Amino acid sequence: MAYKTVNPFNNQLIKEFPSHNDADIEVALRQADALYHSSWSKGSIEQRLPVLHKLADLLENQQEELAKIASREMGKLIGQSRGEVQLCAQIARYYADNAKSFLAPVKYPSELGEAWIEHHPIGVIMAVEPWNFPYYQLMRVLAPNLAAGNPVVCKHASIVPQCAESFAHLVREAGAPDGAWTNLFISSDQVSAIIADPRVQGAALTGSEGAGSVVAAQAAKHIKKSTLELGGNDVFIVLDDADLEKAVEVGVQARLNNAGQVCTAAKRFIIHQDVADQFLRKFTDAFQQVKMGDPLDESTTLGPLSSKDALKTLSQQVSNAVHKGAKLHLGGKPANSEGNFFEPTILTHITRDNPAYFEEFFGPVAQIYVVNNDEEAVRLANDSHYGLGGAIFSRNIQRAKQMASRIETGMVWINWLTDTAAELPFGGVKRSGFGRELSDVGIKEFVNQKLVVVHK
C-alpha cells in the first residue's frame, strides 16, 4: 500500500512516503512493550498528564499550519480543519484535567469486606484510523490511553501520511517518551500480525465495516479486547412541529460538513408529511447555493471528496440507486472539475428493495423519506443495519425525548446535528460497531478494572 499525499482539489501528487518493514515494526513493538513495563506506564498518572497539557498548547499554537496540511491532504475546508485541531486540543486538555479522577479507585460496599476497583493499563494497543478526521481520530485514541499508561502503535490511512507524521511529531515534542505513540506506514497484513503479537493487548479501529470485521475477528482469535467505530446511516428526523428554518439550516450542515464524509453525517432525512414539501423546497434551495472550490479559500462551502476512488464509489452508488428506482431530485454526478468534486445531491422515492436504502453514502448525497407520524419515523429510523447517531427536530422536547429513547443508535441529538465533544461518549450499535471513545467511558475501554478485597 503506497502512502502518498495527493491534493484532492487538483489531484496533484505532493509527496510519497516509504512504508515501514517488519524490522521497523519489531523495533516499534519492542519500544512500546518496554515502555509499558517501565515506571512511565506503571507509575503515577501525575507524570503522564503534563504531556497532554503541553500537547494541547502545541496544537493551539500550530493550529494554522496543521489545518493547512489536513486541507491539502484530504480536502477539508480550512475553517473545518482549524476546528478539528482546536477540538483535539480540547480533548487533550480534558483528559489532562480529568483522567486522574476517572481512574481513581472506586469503592464497592460488600459484606465480604473492604472492596474497591483499581484501574491499571493493560499493555500495547494497536490503532487503525481513517482519513476523514486525520487528527481527531488519532487524539481520541491517544489521550485516554496515554493518561491510562497504554502505549499505542498506529496505522493511519494511506492518503494522510503528512497528518500522521505531524501528529507523531507533536506527541514527541510534548514530552512523551519513545514508544508512547508510534506511527507506522504499514499494510493490513502487517496490522493483523501486530494484533497477533503477544505484546499487544487490544485493538481500536475507526473505519469501514469491512476493515472492522477483519480487525475484530483477528483480535477475537487471539482473545484481545477491541473497539470499533464503523459506518453510519444516520437519520435526521423533522417532525411537524419543528422550527423549520433551523432544521433546514442545521440539516444542510449535517449533510455537507467535510463534503459529507462523516460517519455521523445526516444521511436519511425523515420528514413528517405536513412539512415535507416545505422542507424539501428550502433544503433544495440551500443545496443549490453551495459554492464548490479550493478548500483553502475561505469562501468555499463544499470541498472535494478525499480521493479519486471515493468519487468513483459515490458516483456508482448514486447511479445504481437511480437505476433501482430512486428519483434524482438534484445533482447526481461528479462536477466538471480536475478535482474530486461531486454535486450536492438529493434522492427521493427510495424503496426498501433499493440497495441505497441500507447503504452508507460517504459524500454530499441526501436521502429524503416522508412519514405520516412518529411511529413511522421510529420504525424507518430503526430499519437499518447501522446504529451510530441521529437527530430529531421538534419544538416539543418531551415528544422528542420519547422518540430518542426508542431509536436504536449509540447517540441521539435533539434540535442539533450529531456532534462530538471530549466529555461525551462516542460510539454505536449494530454494524456501527461496539465500545465507546471519549468521556469517562472511553478511558476505561482498555484498562484492567481490578477488584481488590480486604476480607473482614
Side-chain angles (χ1 to χ4, degrees):
M1 181 182 293
Y3 281 77
K4 59 177 70 173
T5 299
V6 177
N7 187 338
F9 172 61
N10 53 25
N11 280 310
Q12 296 297 308
L13 175 66
I14 296 174
K15 189 177 179 181
E16 293 191 64
F17 295 76
S19 295
H20 290 102
N21 59 31
D22 291 345
D24 298 323
I25 292 172
E26 174 56 29
V27 170
L29 287 177
R30 195 182 306 131
Q31 214 166 43
D33 186 56
L35 185 64
Y36 168 65
H37 290 288
S38 75
S39 59
W40 163 263
S41 288
K42 305 286 191 178
S44 169
I45 192 174
E46 301 282 3
Q47 65 188 321
R48 299 188 293 272
L49 299 183
V51 174
L52 292 174
H53 274 299
K54 179 70 181 299
L55 183 56
D57 292 342
L58 289 171
L59 284 159
E60 289 175 339
N61 293 338
Q62 298 178 38
Q63 181 187 52
E64 194 65 19
E65 177 189 344
L66 293 166
K68 285 179 179 176
I69 292 171
S71 291
R72 289 194 191 102
E73 202 159 47
M74 55 73 56
K76 193 187 300 285
L77 299 185
I78 186 64
Q80 293 175 15
S81 292
R82 293 186 191 114
E84 180 177 342
V85 176
Q86 183 60 46
L87 176 59
C88 289
Q90 291 168 357
I91 293 169
R93 198 164 279 127
Y94 172 78
Y95 280 109
D97 292 339
N98 294 287
K100 185 177 179 182
S101 61
F102 292 159
L103 300 178
V106 178
K107 291 188 176 183
Y108 280 72
S110 173
E111 294 179 358
L112 297 179
E114 181 188 3
W116 66 94
I117 288 284
E118 296 177 354
H119 300 97
H120 298 282
I122 61 170
V124 181
I125 306 301
M126 175 76 229
V128 181
E129 300 302 321
W131 47 262
N132 58 337
F133 289 88
Y135 301 125
Y136 162 71
Q137 298 288 173
L138 304 187
M139 184 58 78
R140 286 200 328 201
V141 178
L142 169 79
N145 281 295
L146 189 143
N150 294 320
V152 180
V153 293
C154 180
K155 177 208 175 299
H156 210 345
S158 61
I159 66 171
V160 287
Q162 286 193 51
C163 290
E165 283 201 335
S166 298
F167 188 87
H169 178 75
L170 284 170
V171 176
R172 287 193 298 272
E173 194 179 344
D178 290 343
W181 178 271
T182 308
N183 172 58
L184 292 173
F185 294 144
I186 54 178
S187 68
S188 298
D189 287 345
Q190 288 171 309
V191 169
S192 290
I194 291 172
I195 294 172
D197 192 290
R199 291 168 291 190
V200 173
Q201 294 302 315
L205 177 139
T206 296
S208 70
E209 188 182 331
S213 176
V214 171
V215 165
Q218 181 71 341
K221 179 181 177 182
H222 295 278
I223 316 177
K224 295 175 183 179
K225 174 72 180 287
S226 64
T227 59
L228 304 177
E229 194 267 279
L230 309 177
N233 201 3
D234 285 16
V235 291
F236 191 96
I237 300 172
V238 181
L239 299 179
D240 52 338
D241 63 352
D243 178 339
L244 215 56
E245 298 295 331
K246 181 180 179 183
V248 170
E249 180 186 354
V250 177
V252 171
Q253 183 183 350
R255 179 61 278 198
L256 299 185
N257 273 355
N258 208 26
Q261 301 167 119
V262 185
C263 298
T264 56
K267 289 157 189 161
R268 296 182 294 153
F269 289 79
I270 300 176
I271 318 298
H272 191 285
Q273 62 175 359
D274 290 353
V275 294
D277 290 345
Q278 197 178 353
F279 177 88
L280 183 56
R281 186 171 63 254
K282 293 174 180 291
F283 192 70
T284 304
D285 288 344
F287 262 41
Q288 289 173 325
Q289 291 168 24
V290 164
K291 180 189 174 186
M292 290 186 279
D294 187 345
L296 293 173
D297 182 341
E298 302 279 358
S299 67
T300 298
T301 56
L302 183 67
L305 299 186
S306 63
S307 66
K308 281 185 177 180
D309 284 347
L311 184 64
K312 180 181 177 182
T313 298
L314 188 65
S315 301
Q316 290 174 340
Q317 282 182 296
V318 171
S319 177
N320 193 38
V322 174
H323 178 68
K324 297 291 186 179
K327 181 181 176 183
L328 190 59
H329 179 79
L330 180 73
K333 63 184 187 299
N336 186 17
S337 162
E338 62 182 350
N340 305 318
F341 289 90
F342 196 87
E343 296 174 344
T345 297
I346 299 173
L347 296 173
T348 62
H349 297 82
I350 297 168
T351 53
R352 197 176 188 276
D353 58 355
N354 192 322
Y357 186 92
F358 288 107
E359 287 177 349
E360 177 181 31
F361 283 64
F362 225 53
V365 179
Q367 300 182 7
I368 304 290
Y369 298 85
V370 179
V371 294
N372 297 309
N373 51 50
D374 291 13
E375 201 65 38
E376 269 190 48
V378 171
R379 191 160 57 244
L380 179 54
N382 290 342
D383 191 17
S384 172
H385 301 318
Y386 296 110
L388 193 52
I392 302 168
F393 277 72
S394 171
R395 286 189 172 94
N396 185 335
I397 300 302
Q398 191 56 39
R399 177 187 182 189
K401 283 180 178 179
Q402 289 174 351
M403 181 176 281
S405 294
R406 298 173 64 199
I407 290 176
E408 297 167 351
T409 60
M411 304 170 282
V412 181
W413 290 69
I414 295 172
N415 293 331
W416 191 244
L417 51 81
T418 306
D419 210 340
T420 185
E423 67 274 11
L424 300 177
F426 191 103
V429 295
K430 302 193 220 181
R431 292 187 193 172
S432 290
F434 46 76
R436 294 294 182 268
E437 292 184 312
L438 301 177
S439 78
D440 61 322
V441 180
I443 199 171
K444 293 180 181 176
E445 288 285 2
F446 292 108
V447 296
N448 175 10
Q449 300 186 53
K450 180 193 292 183
L451 173 68
V452 182
V453 182
V454 180
H455 195 264
K456 287 180 178 177

